[in-house]
Amino acid sequence: MPEYSTTTRVHPSSRAMRASLVAVWLGTALVSALDYLGFSGLNHEGARLLAEGGIASVQWQALLIWSGLLADLLIGLALLLRPGRASYLTALLLMTAMTVIGTALQPALWLHPLGPLLKNLPIAAMLWFLLQTTSSSSDGRES
Protein backbone atom coordinates (compact mmCIF):
# COMPACT_ATOMS: atom_id res chain seq x y z
CA MET A 1 0.00 0.00 0.00
CA PRO A 2 1.47 3.39 -0.94
CA GLU A 3 2.22 5.98 1.68
CA TYR A 4 0.09 9.10 1.62
CA SER A 5 1.30 12.43 2.85
CA THR A 6 -1.08 13.92 5.37
CA THR A 7 -0.23 17.44 4.30
CA THR A 8 -0.34 17.31 0.51
CA ARG A 9 -2.87 14.72 -0.56
CA VAL A 10 -6.11 13.18 0.61
CA HIS A 11 -6.21 9.41 0.70
CA PRO A 12 -8.54 8.15 -2.08
CA SER A 13 -10.72 6.25 0.41
CA SER A 14 -11.31 9.24 2.68
CA ARG A 15 -14.31 10.58 0.77
CA ALA A 16 -16.09 7.23 0.78
CA MET A 17 -15.32 6.67 4.44
CA ARG A 18 -16.54 10.10 5.43
CA ALA A 19 -19.71 9.76 3.32
CA SER A 20 -20.53 6.41 4.90
CA LEU A 21 -19.94 7.81 8.40
CA VAL A 22 -22.19 10.80 7.66
CA ALA A 23 -24.88 8.37 6.47
CA VAL A 24 -24.55 6.28 9.64
CA TRP A 25 -24.81 9.24 12.02
CA LEU A 26 -27.55 11.15 10.20
CA GLY A 27 -29.43 7.92 9.45
CA THR A 28 -29.26 6.87 13.09
CA ALA A 29 -30.60 10.24 14.21
CA LEU A 30 -33.49 10.00 11.74
CA VAL A 31 -34.36 6.41 12.65
CA SER A 32 -34.17 7.24 16.37
CA ALA A 33 -36.58 10.16 15.92
CA LEU A 34 -38.98 8.13 13.79
CA ASP A 35 -38.87 5.24 16.28
CA TYR A 36 -39.48 7.48 19.29
CA LEU A 37 -42.39 9.18 17.52
CA GLY A 38 -43.83 5.80 16.50
CA PHE A 39 -43.33 6.19 12.74
CA SER A 40 -40.60 3.63 12.13
CA GLY A 41 -42.53 0.40 12.48
CA LEU A 42 -40.06 -0.64 15.19
CA ASN A 43 -42.60 -0.14 18.00
CA HIS A 44 -40.41 2.10 20.16
CA GLU A 45 -37.36 -0.17 20.02
CA GLY A 46 -35.10 2.39 21.70
CA ALA A 47 -37.39 2.75 24.72
CA ARG A 48 -37.77 -1.03 24.90
CA LEU A 49 -34.00 -1.55 24.93
CA LEU A 50 -33.58 1.04 27.66
CA ALA A 51 -36.37 -0.55 29.72
CA GLU A 52 -34.76 -3.99 29.34
CA GLY A 53 -31.47 -2.42 30.42
CA GLY A 54 -33.04 -1.22 33.66
CA ILE A 55 -34.16 2.30 32.73
CA ALA A 56 -37.92 2.07 33.23
CA SER A 57 -38.67 5.78 33.68
CA VAL A 58 -40.33 7.19 30.57
CA GLN A 59 -38.78 10.58 31.33
CA TRP A 60 -35.26 9.12 31.49
CA GLN A 61 -35.89 7.11 28.32
CA ALA A 62 -37.00 10.26 26.51
CA LEU A 63 -34.00 12.23 27.79
CA LEU A 64 -31.53 9.53 26.77
CA ILE A 65 -33.11 8.90 23.37
CA TRP A 66 -33.31 12.60 22.47
CA SER A 67 -29.80 13.28 23.82
CA GLY A 68 -28.39 10.43 21.72
CA LEU A 69 -30.41 11.52 18.71
CA LEU A 70 -29.15 15.10 19.00
CA ALA A 71 -25.56 13.90 19.47
CA ASP A 72 -25.87 11.69 16.37
CA LEU A 73 -27.31 14.59 14.37
CA LEU A 74 -24.56 17.00 15.45
CA ILE A 75 -21.78 14.49 14.72
CA GLY A 76 -23.28 13.70 11.31
CA LEU A 77 -23.49 17.39 10.45
CA ALA A 78 -19.96 18.03 11.73
CA LEU A 79 -18.59 15.21 9.58
CA LEU A 80 -20.52 16.53 6.60
CA LEU A 81 -19.88 20.26 6.97
CA ARG A 82 -16.68 20.52 9.04
CA PRO A 83 -14.66 17.35 8.46
CA GLY A 84 -11.31 17.28 10.14
CA ARG A 85 -9.41 16.00 13.13
CA ALA A 86 -11.74 17.62 15.69
CA SER A 87 -14.84 16.08 14.09
CA TYR A 88 -13.22 12.66 13.73
CA LEU A 89 -11.97 12.65 17.31
CA THR A 90 -15.30 13.83 18.68
CA ALA A 91 -17.12 11.14 16.69
CA LEU A 92 -14.69 8.48 17.94
CA LEU A 93 -15.11 9.56 21.57
CA LEU A 94 -18.90 9.72 21.30
CA MET A 95 -19.09 6.33 19.59
CA THR A 96 -16.85 4.85 22.29
CA ALA A 97 -19.02 6.33 25.06
CA MET A 98 -22.22 5.07 23.43
CA THR A 99 -20.66 1.62 23.00
CA VAL A 100 -19.68 1.50 26.68
CA ILE A 101 -23.17 2.62 27.74
CA GLY A 102 -24.81 0.16 25.36
CA THR A 103 -22.62 -2.63 26.68
CA ALA A 104 -23.50 -1.75 30.28
CA LEU A 105 -27.23 -1.69 29.54
CA GLN A 106 -27.46 -4.54 27.04
CA PRO A 107 -24.27 -6.63 26.78
CA ALA A 108 -26.15 -9.19 24.67
CA LEU A 109 -26.20 -6.65 21.82
CA TRP A 110 -22.61 -7.76 21.07
CA LEU A 111 -24.11 -11.13 20.07
CA HIS A 112 -27.05 -9.72 18.07
CA PRO A 113 -27.09 -11.07 14.48
CA LEU A 114 -27.23 -7.55 12.99
CA GLY A 115 -24.33 -6.35 15.17
CA PRO A 116 -25.61 -3.09 16.67
CA LEU A 117 -22.49 -2.84 18.86
CA LEU A 118 -20.11 -4.94 16.78
CA LYS A 119 -20.46 -2.50 13.86
CA ASN A 120 -18.71 0.08 16.00
CA LEU A 121 -15.37 -1.70 15.51
CA PRO A 122 -15.07 -0.87 11.77
CA ILE A 123 -16.49 2.61 12.46
CA ALA A 124 -13.73 3.14 15.02
CA ALA A 125 -11.15 1.89 12.50
CA MET A 126 -12.40 4.32 9.85
CA LEU A 127 -12.37 7.24 12.27
CA TRP A 128 -8.88 6.30 13.44
CA PHE A 129 -7.70 6.11 9.82
CA LEU A 130 -9.21 9.52 9.04
CA LEU A 131 -7.55 10.96 12.15
CA GLN A 132 -4.18 9.58 11.07
CA THR A 133 -4.42 10.77 7.46
CA THR A 134 -5.68 14.29 8.16
CA SER A 135 -3.07 16.86 9.02
CA SER A 136 -3.55 19.02 12.08
CA SER A 137 -3.31 22.13 9.88
CA SER A 138 -5.97 20.83 7.51
CA ASP A 139 -9.71 20.89 8.11
CA GLY A 140 -9.99 17.55 6.29
CA ARG A 141 -11.72 18.91 3.19
CA GLU A 142 -10.89 17.11 -0.01
CA SER A 143 -9.78 19.12 -2.97
Side-chain angles (χ1 to χ4, degrees), residues 23-76:
V24 165
W25 260 282
L26 293 181
T28 301
L30 177 63
V31 169
S32 295
L34 292 174
D35 178 51
Y36 183 82
L37 297 171
F39 298 123
S40 70
L42 296 174
N43 299 316
H44 305 285
E45 179 74 3
R48 185 189 64 74
L49 286 170
L50 288 170
E52 288 177 2
I55 299 174
S57 165
V58 174
Q59 290 83 11
W60 274 106
Q61 290 173 1
L63 177 67
L64 291 170
I65 289 168
W66 284 100
S67 296
L69 182 161
L70 186 58
D72 287 338
L73 178 64
L74 292 174
I75 292 293

Side-chain angles (χ1 to χ4, degrees), residues 71-93:
D72 287 338
L73 178 64
L74 292 174
I75 292 293
L77 290 173
L79 292 172
L80 177 65
L81 302 173
R82 302 283 300 170
R85 293 181 59 82
S87 296
Y88 302 143
L89 182 59
T90 303
L92 183 61
L93 293 173

Side-chain angles (χ1 to χ4, degrees), residues 80-137:
L80 177 65
L81 302 173
R82 302 283 300 170
R85 293 181 59 82
S87 296
Y88 302 143
L89 182 59
T90 303
L92 183 61
L93 293 173
L94 178 65
M95 187 264 328
T96 301
M98 288 182 160
T99 302
V100 169
I101 292 167
T103 299
L105 293 175
Q106 290 282 339
L109 289 178
W110 282 100
L111 304 175
H112 190 282
L114 298 179
L117 292 179
L118 198 58
K119 72 172 176 13
N120 290 345
L121 296 176
I123 290 172
M126 284 192 286
L127 288 165
W128 185 253
F129 176 84
L130 290 168
L131 266 168
Q132 300 306 307
T133 58
T134 303
S135 71
S136 59
S137 62

Side-chain angles (χ1 to χ4, degrees), residues 1-13:
M1 177 183 232
E3 290 293 319
Y4 290 90
S5 168
T6 59
T7 57
T8 59
R9 184 181 340 179
V10 174
H11 192 280
S13 301

